[in-house]
Amino acid sequence: MNNFDTRFFAKKRFDSARKKAFLNELKARFFNKENELFQLDEVKYLVPPKAMVYRGIKTIPIKNIVGSEGRYRDFDKDFLPKQDEIRDRWVSIEVAKEQNISLPPISVYKIGDYYIVRDGNHRVSVAKELGQEFIDAEVTELLTDVKIEEFSQKGLLLAESYNYFLQKTHFNEYFPKVYIKLTNPWGYYRLVEHINTYKYFLGERLKREASWEETIKSWYNELYLPITSLIKKKRVLKYFPEREVGDLFIWIMDHWHYL
């Protein structure tokens, strides 16, 4: 295939990708679903990194690339092109790939199991449209205190709320291997309220102000753990398939008076 034909088919593929992007936008508006790439600044605001580590050149799964540092308006969540203005750049990259011209690795930030593009957004878009599953990337990992279970608006809010919970209680300092998983971001704020109340009554019992270390260890070992162990033992979660054991603990605490 000569250069003219390669460029012609690359343009046709770009037009097809633009149509897919338009349909994605329609479906997102109709069903009120997310269709945007995540912004690096937004993610760093919700889940502040505590350190940055350079990991070198790695081969990463394209399906785990979920955001962009500066080009989040040019592509949708599937890295389909949203702007006609990027057509020439997009086409030139596909032509280079079809002609087996070596392209440099993209550059990404790694957060948990996911990636946000620093440089190389167009290359990711072309690779996805060509059905490529992996891509070489220069990786810099952002380390956080909390794990992002799912890269979605709700997943980020859960991570942000859990980070708040850790900042207020220092729970991870006393129980570094324990992760309290909830399905509602506001649940972590309720846990902080519960622990503050528990701290007051523990102080009444001790006849002095209880320290945070005493409070957290007592709350977890004498209240949270026995109740959640009973929930698991009685297999109560089978009646609430979309909830976690921590959710039921909060519900029980909130309705203790009525129970």
Side-chain angles (χ1 to χ4, degrees):
M1 187 182 297
N2 60 42
N3 186 60
F4 177 82
D5 289 338
T6 302
R7 197 163 189 83
F8 172 80
F9 285 113
K11 290 179 179 178
K12 296 284 285 184
R13 199 185 302 275
F14 176 83
D15 292 339
S16 174
R18 284 287 290 117
K19 291 176 182 176
K20 292 178 185 177
F22 174 70
L23 291 175
N24 267 4
E25 185 175 357
L26 284 180
K27 287 190 288 185
R29 289 180 180 274
F30 188 79
F31 295 107
N32 193 29
K33 291 187 175 181
E34 300 172 16
N35 190 43
E36 307 294 327
L37 284 175
F38 287 97
Q39 308 173 33
L40 176 65
D41 288 342
E42 175 189 18
V43 175
K44 289 170 67 177
Y45 174 78
L46 292 173
V47 190
K50 63 179 181 180
M52 182 184 298
V53 181
Y54 180 70
R55 300 298 189 189
I57 306 297
K58 305 285 185 181
T59 300
I60 66 172
I62 292 178
K63 66 181 178 65
N64 284 20
I65 301 176
V66 297
S68 172
E69 182 174 21
R71 292 282 190 168
Y72 49 86
R73 292 189 180 93
D74 292 342
F75 304 91
D76 69 9
K77 66 177 180 62
D78 292 326
F79 265 95
L80 291 166
K82 295 169 62 178
Q83 312 290 341
D84 290 331
E85 289 76 9
I86 65 176
R87 178 190 180 105
D88 290 343
R89 178 81 181 277
W90 201 96
V91 168
S92 65
I93 290 173
E94 181 176 340
V95 170
K97 290 180 71 68
E98 293 292 347
Q99 294 178 345
N100 294 318
I101 297 174
S102 180
L103 297 174
I106 65 172
S107 177
V108 298
Y109 288 111
K110 182 177 188 290
I111 305 177
D113 296 326
Y114 301 92
Y115 303 89
I116 293 178
V117 180
R118 302 175 67 183
D119 181 63
N121 297 274
H122 299 79
R123 279 168 277 167
V124 173
S125 179
V126 171
K128 287 200 74 170
E129 191 62 15
L130 292 175
Q132 190 173 321
E133 295 184 1
F134 297 91
I135 192 169
D136 290 336
E138 186 177 23
V139 179
T140 300
E141 185 169 8
L142 302 180
L143 303 178
T144 63
D145 284 327
V146 298
K147 181 180 179 182
I148 300 175
E149 295 281 341
E150 175 190 347
F151 231 97
S152 63
Q153 290 293 341
K154 182 179 179 181
L156 288 175
L157 287 175
L158 281 166
E160 179 198 26
S161 302
Y162 193 62
N163 191 53
Y164 170 85
F165 170 76
L166 296 182
Q167 289 177 348
K168 291 296 183 181
T169 66
H170 303 284
F171 181 84
N172 54 330
E173 296 178 15
Y174 311 121
F175 299 98
K177 296 183 179 180
V178 178
Y179 170 51
I180 297 179
K181 187 175 182 180
L182 304 177
T183 61
N184 188 332
W186 291 109
Y188 292 111
Y189 295 90
R190 292 293 297 138
L191 283 182
V192 172
E193 292 175 5
H194 288 162
I195 292 171
N196 277 320
T197 302
Y198 186 87
K199 185 175 185 295
Y200 170 79
F201 284 110
L202 180 61
E204 291 285 298
R205 194 172 77 196
L206 297 174
K207 306 298 183 185
R208 60 174 173 81
E209 184 177 358
S211 69
W212 266 112
E213 182 175 356
E214 288 175 314
T215 300
I216 294 300
K217 289 182 176 180
S218 176
W219 173 82
Y220 181 72
N221 289 317
E222 298 179 26
L223 185 64
Y224 184 86
L225 196 58
I227 290 178
T228 54
S229 296
L230 184 61
I231 291 171
K232 292 175 183 178
K233 181 179 179 180
K234 298 299 183 180
R235 302 174 65 187
V236 179
L237 277 179
K238 69 180 179 180
Y239 300 107
F240 306 93
E242 296 183 359
R243 298 297 180 183
E244 297 290 338
V245 65
D247 297 321
L248 268 64
F249 171 83
I250 293 173
W251 187 90
I252 290 171
M253 290 296 100
D254 285 345
H255 295 80
W256 190 260
H257 173 74
Y258 303 102
L259 294 174

